[in-house]
Amino acid sequence: MTEKRPFRLPSVRLVAIAAIAGIVCGGGVVLFRHIGSEGQVQGAAVADAALCEGAAKRIASIEPLLKGQIAAMSPTDKPRVIPLSFKSADGAAMTQADLKGKTVLLNLWATWCVPCREEMPALNALEKEKGSDAFEVVTINIDNGEDEKPKAFMSEYKIDSLKLYRDSSMGVFNALKKEGLAFGLPATLLLDDKGCLLASMNGPAAWDSPDAKALVTAATSPDQRVGTGISPR
């Protein structure tokens, strides 16, 4: 955690701010976009069901770990791939499919979101310690306009382990809102190495806590003992 602004545990006030942000977004700033025909959607749903068939076992293994500092994260009862489009750190177009092969903690944030600013150092610390070929913290900034503002924030607060993924169109937020996974910021998803949703939460969390690290260890371990919450040494 940076010395400049140590992370504080999520409070009622921060969660309230996140909820207000969701109301503001829902008041007209966020626009839904319908993509594809009904047949294409149904076909994608069938394909996703097959792809995510094995996710239930992984969800069962991590559920006992959703406690303490990350108790607000809820396991999904519908493992699925949610199509998301955004830009990489170098401005190239990418989707969640480009992240396949690694477990991902995907977080939406903005510089104007107070709880987002509070938890970014914790997310940075988690990526610094746990980031690997098997796991990445993917923080997608949804500020409007150019990259200068989020870049300045990341520089000022020494966010040096996270890449600046961007979506100034707010399309990612729209997609998650439509799925009932985002009502404000921050919003966080845990995805397996196939891109299937395992768990989600709204609001900030202490992502540099032992609880969060234990979750990452379990989510990335193929030998996780189902239902025990204990990873083999």
Side-chain angles (χ1 to χ4, degrees):
M1 200 56 53
T2 61
E3 293 181 3
K4 182 167 184 178
R5 193 165 186 175
F7 181 78
R8 299 179 179 83
L9 297 183
S11 65
V12 173
R13 177 173 174 271
L14 289 185
V15 174
I17 292 172
I20 291 171
I23 293 171
V24 172
C25 289
V29 177
V30 178
L31 301 176
F32 290 112
R33 290 181 290 181
H34 177 72
I35 302 175
S37 68
E38 183 177 351
Q40 290 174 324
V41 171
Q42 291 175 344
V46 172
D48 287 352
L51 182 66
C52 300
E53 186 175 353
K57 182 177 180 180
R58 184 54 55 88
I59 293 169
S61 74
I62 66 170
E63 189 167 2
L65 300 173
L66 304 180
K67 60 183 181 179
Q69 302 290 359
I70 54 170
M73 177 161 271
S74 300
T76 184
D77 58 359
K78 185 182 178 183
R80 63 201 185 277
V81 174
I82 303 168
L84 303 173
S85 299
F86 47 97
K87 292 186 177 180
S88 66
D90 59 5
M94 65 182 297
T95 71
Q96 87 289 348
D98 294 306
L99 302 171
K100 284 186 178 180
K102 62 174 65 176
T103 301
V104 170
L105 187 74
L106 189 147
N107 175 276
L108 301 191
W109 72 285
T111 58
W112 44 261
C113 164
V114 174
C116 300
R117 295 170 68 93
E118 291 283 352
E119 77 169 355
M120 281 295 285
L123 288 162
N124 187 70
L126 180 63
E127 172 63 18
K128 184 173 293 186
E129 180 175 339
K130 305 294 285 186
S132 68
D133 291 339
F135 173 75
E136 182 180 356
V137 178
V138 174
T139 52
I140 303 176
N141 174 267
I142 64 170
D143 278 69
N144 293 324
E146 302 301 322
D147 297 348
E148 284 74 13
K149 187 178 291 186
K151 281 183 176 179
F153 169 82
M154 294 178 78
S155 175
E156 180 181 0
Y157 288 88
K158 298 180 173 59
I159 308 300
D160 54 5
S161 293
L162 299 174
K163 297 176 182 177
L164 180 59
Y165 294 101
R166 289 270 285 139
D167 177 30
S168 59
S169 72
M170 294 185 70
V172 173
F173 182 89
N174 293 344
L176 297 188
K177 185 175 181 180
K178 187 174 182 179
E179 291 281 339
L181 297 171
F183 62 80
L185 294 179
T188 306
L189 309 181
L190 181 63
L191 310 175
D192 71 7
D193 56 358
K194 295 180 181 179
C196 301
L197 177 67
L198 300 178
S200 64
M201 69 174 290
N202 280 266
W207 291 111
D208 56 350
S209 66
D211 293 321
K213 295 172 187 177
L215 172 63
V216 171
T217 298
T220 56
S221 173
D223 300 322
Q224 170 68 30
R225 298 175 191 172
V226 178
T228 66
I230 301 174
S231 298
R233 295 181 183 276

